[in-house]
Amino acid sequence: MGKTIICHCEDISIEELFSAVEQGYKDIESIKRYTGIATGTCQGKCCLIQTLRALASGDDRSSPKTASESAASTPLKGIAVKMPTIRQPVIPARIDRIIKAGEKAVKKATGKA
Amino acid sequence: MNRTADMVIIGGGVNGVACAYYLARRGMKNIVLFEKGYLGYGATGRCGGGIRQQWGMDENIILARDSVRMFEKLSHELGFNIFFRQGGYLILISDERDYDLISKTIPRQNELGVPAELLEPKDIASLVPGLNLKTIIAGAYCPTDGTAYPYAVLWGYAEAAKRRGVDIRLHTEVLIISRKSGGTYEVTTTNGTVHTPRILNVAGAATRNTASMLGIVIPTKPYRHEIAVSEPLKSFLDPMVISIRKGFYFSQSLRGEIVGGIGDPDEPSSSSTASSPEFLFRYAEALRKTFPALGKVRIIRQWAGLYDVSPDARPIIGTVDGVDGYYHACGFSGHGFMLSPVVAKLLSELITTGKTSIPIDSLNLKRFSEPGLTRDPYVVG
Ligand SMILES: Cc1cc2nc3c(=O)[nH]c(=O)nc-3n(C[C@H](O)[C@H](O)[C@H](O)COP(=O)(O)OP(=O)(O)OC[C@H]3O[C@@H](n4cnc5c(N)ncnc54)[C@H](O)[C@@H]3O)c2cc1C
């Protein structure tokens, strides 16, 4: 069987995800940082939902389980299937664009005053 | 959970897990560590990972120097790659006062075994091509400074501590600490109660809160510091580049991202870890001004963490008079990660033998009730 890539930016397979869980990284924030899933350029927009789905169904990919069903199964026992903190910028933002936006905001603020 | 322990550690940041490891290595049994979130939920997981030995006070130079010696061997010792990379630290100097201070300090750093040197602008240009040197009069560079991946340091210490029997309890918050007769403490958590003769309070910016449960007053204040990361770029930057005066820094991680931040002198004390657009504007401007070609690079994420700042911006480490069996370490401002291997090792010595191999009495909480505080001029933020 070939590898199933779950995070394309960072090239991480579903097997690596499950191996992290088996090693005790059972928290979405820790899983993210241990595997690198959702830390690439897409910041989780492509891979996060797949990751959460995989965590919820365990390695039995034929029948997805609910979060509470998966919480009772191994090796995913005790895992909380939830979203990590979502932070700005919502989409990657070029530094010179950020500077422009900042100048605009200053103009607007001082213009009003 | 209702039990006894020989040692309770409050806080799963780098100081907590590292000290758990060094205590277990010294043979202490029955150590329990409580972390209210996951490992790295506090400052450690939000930090820049910078490690520098270029400091102004002997105390910081020595602690950072010895930490670097430990970081150099840490991946091997822990059996965990901490991604320690000695790309150096380049301090950009644009101000005569900083030039005077730094050129007077370098000989002392050298005497203490830190190979820092003063660079002229042309040396800077060959070390980091692409820097805008228009306002830069000189640089200070130490090739053995560097960075490590904070999460890997945490996990490496935690795994090694667990192998030696340390019980790490995540998602468990310490709520109440009370002193019992017979010299023990009762520690109540969200997940049960533990009785212990010893407590190590290393709860980061919350250390003052956990200390206050025992009536101990710690004069630190939390300040938000923001940080951002770019898309990955092909490796082009070896050193961490910083401006002490502007509180600005950036480096390239092993994954290729530019990680950096800039302090805000007007930031009020608060426990907010919210991200602000104002930070992003200031950081983007400082970054493009310092390294113009980065203007076209995209920022993919920003976040914030808390500096725990003491009145002299020096850490508070050690015991508290009249509170037997209690130890703490906090007030690390923006440099607690780089000092952590040695600080944790010294704490483990203090806890098991009552002495430390490097004197740390000058860092005791007591100093704030005595006149005169000294601040290290190399502190950022
Ligand atoms: C943006 C930023 C950048 C930084 N950059 C650098 C750098 O480049 N180099 C450097 O050396 N330092 C840097 N620092 C500073 C460094 O991160 C800290 O000094 C260091 O991580 C402190 O480690 P700690 O273990 O003492 O505290 P923390 O990492 O804060 O850990 C304390 C832990 O205690 C937990 N806790 C709190 N209260 C309780 C409770 N009641 N019960 C249970 N658990 C509790 C918290 O959840 C937290 O995880 C930076 C900090 C920030 C915010």
Side-chain angles (χ1 to χ4, degrees):
Chain A
M1 224 179 85
K3 283 207 297 189
T4 308
I5 299 296
I6 197 159
C7 166
H8 290 263
C9 302
E10 297 296 315
D11 195 24
I12 296 151
S13 69
I14 201 163
E15 289 76 14
E16 286 169 273
L17 167 66
F18 288 138
S19 143
V21 174
E22 249 163 79
Q23 287 170 60
Y25 297 89
K26 296 197 174 185
D27 189 295
I28 189 69
E29 299 285 358
S30 306
I31 288 171
K32 241 185 83 172
R33 287 157 181 107
Y34 187 74
T35 61
I37 287 176
T39 66
T41 316
C42 92
Q43 286 291 296
K45 283 181 207 70
C46 312
C47 51
L48 204 52
I49 198 74
Q50 306 300 339
T51 302
L52 296 178
R53 181 165 173 250
L55 290 175
S57 14
D59 32 16
D60 176 8
R61 273 166 263 166
S62 59
S63 72
K65 294 190 188 76
T66 64
S68 58
E69 278 166 352
S70 90
S73 76
T74 41
L76 303 186
K77 200 162 179 272
I79 198 159
V81 180
K82 58 169 197 172
M83 290 287 278
T85 311
I86 303 298
R87 297 178 205 268
Q88 54 205 59
V90 175
I91 51 167
R94 273 173 63 138
I95 285 171
D96 40 23
R97 291 264 173 80
I98 295 172
I99 295 173
K100 224 178 236 164
E103 286 164 355
K104 234 189 203 166
V106 169
K107 242 184 231 158
K108 213 170 152 190
T110 48
K112 263 187 197 151
Chain B
M1 181 182 62
N2 201 334
R3 47 173 290 187
T4 58
D6 291 336
M7 175 90 220
V8 163
I9 299 178
I10 308 170
V14 67
N15 282 307
V17 293
C19 197
Y21 168 72
Y22 292 116
L23 283 170
R25 205 180 67 173
R26 290 185 146 262
M28 188 181 270
K29 302 267 183 295
N30 211 354
I31 301 167
V32 187
L33 182 150
F34 294 120
E35 164 54 51
K36 74 173 178 194
Y38 49 90
L39 294 181
Y41 178 68
T44 305
R46 301 161 188 267
C47 94
I51 298 164
R52 76 167 140 116
Q53 306 157 91
Q54 301 182 74
W55 285 98
M57 290 174 74
D58 281 10
E59 155 194 302
N60 280 329
I61 301 171
I62 291 167
L63 292 176
R65 176 200 68 194
D66 286 10
S67 269
V68 164
R69 290 179 184 162
M70 293 171 77
F71 275 120
E72 283 168 347
K73 301 196 186 99
L74 209 51
S75 291
H76 180 74
E77 174 171 350
L78 301 176
F80 201 105
N81 187 354
I82 63 159
F83 295 98
F84 180 53
R85 186 173 71 96
Q86 287 172 296
Y89 249 71
L90 171 65
I91 303 176
L92 297 175
I93 306 168
S94 54
D95 179 289
E96 290 293 339
R97 273 176 306 163
D98 289 349
Y99 183 83
D100 282 350
L101 167 75
I102 289 173
S103 54
K104 282 199 193 101
T105 311
I106 286 179
R108 181 61 185 153
Q109 293 168 341
N110 294 163
E111 259 168 38
L112 291 169
V114 171
E117 56 186 305
L118 206 58
L119 300 185
E120 290 179 29
K122 67 169 177 11
D123 307 324
I124 303 177
S126 59
L127 182 67
V128 184
L131 279 177
N132 168 14
L133 298 174
K134 255 183 235 149
T135 59
I136 305 302
I137 57 177
Y141 174 63
C142 175
T144 55
D145 290 349
T147 52
Y149 181 41
Y151 276 99
V153 173
L154 278 169
W155 297 327
Y157 272 125
E159 291 300 321
K162 281 196 243 169
R163 284 197 297 274
R164 289 174 184 264
V166 174
D167 184 4
I168 296 183
R169 301 283 175 124
L170 303 179
H171 304 288
T172 306
E173 183 173 358
V174 169
L175 301 173
I176 305 167
I177 312 171
S178 49
R179 281 179 99 173
K180 296 281 146 187
S181 56
T184 61
Y185 295 96
E186 185 179 83
V187 181
T188 307
T189 74
T190 44
N191 203 6
T193 299
V194 178
H195 291 263
T196 176
R198 291 179 210 89
I199 290 180
L200 172 63
N201 184 8
V202 279
T207 305
R208 61 201 287 262
N209 306 337
T210 30
S212 73
M213 297 175 188
L214 287 166
I216 299 163
V217 178
I218 296 185
T220 57
K221 282 189 191 158
Y223 287 90
R224 175 178 69 168
H225 272 258
E226 298 187 69
I227 176 166
V229 61
S230 77
E231 61 189 321
L233 307 170
K234 194 174 164 189
S235 167
F236 70 95
L237 177 68
D238 277 333
M240 169 85 84
V241 179
I242 72 169
S243 159
I244 293 178
R245 180 139 317 256
K246 297 190 190 115
F248 168 62
Y249 63 93
F250 66 99
S251 69
Q252 187 173 27
S253 75
L254 277 172
R255 293 167 40 150
E257 307 144 329
I258 301 297
V259 181
I262 186 164
D264 177 357
D266 298 327
E267 180 81 35
S269 172
S270 84
S271 293
S272 161
T273 53
S275 293
S276 75
E278 291 78 12
F279 158 76
L280 208 53
F281 299 153
R282 272 185 305 116
Y283 173 64
E285 232 174 275
L287 193 58
R288 192 177 68 178
K289 183 159 178 259
T290 311
F291 204 117
L294 289 177
K296 62 176 190 296
V297 168
R298 294 178 303 171
I299 298 290
I300 61 170
R301 189 176 176 88
Q302 66 175 109
W303 66 94
L306 299 176
Y307 278 22
D308 186 40
V309 182
S310 71
D312 56 6
R314 291 159 65 202
I316 301 171
I317 306 175
T319 53
V320 175
D321 289 345
V323 195
D324 290 345
Y326 171 89
Y327 305 85
H328 60 196
C330 64
F332 289 100
S333 288
H335 50 280
F337 175 69
M338 63 182 80
L339 301 183
S340 61
V342 82
V343 163
K345 189 169 149 277
L346 294 173
L347 278 169
S348 76
E349 294 170 3
L350 183 68
I351 292 166
T352 53
T353 69
K355 291 188 294 256
T356 53
S357 52
I358 299 173
I360 49 167
D361 301 339
S362 60
L363 295 174
N364 197 280
L365 177 65
K366 265 194 291 221
R367 71 180 184 273
F368 301 109
S369 49
E370 292 155 8
L373 293 177
T374 326
R375 195 187 152 95
D376 189 320
Y378 274 63
V379 167
V380 171

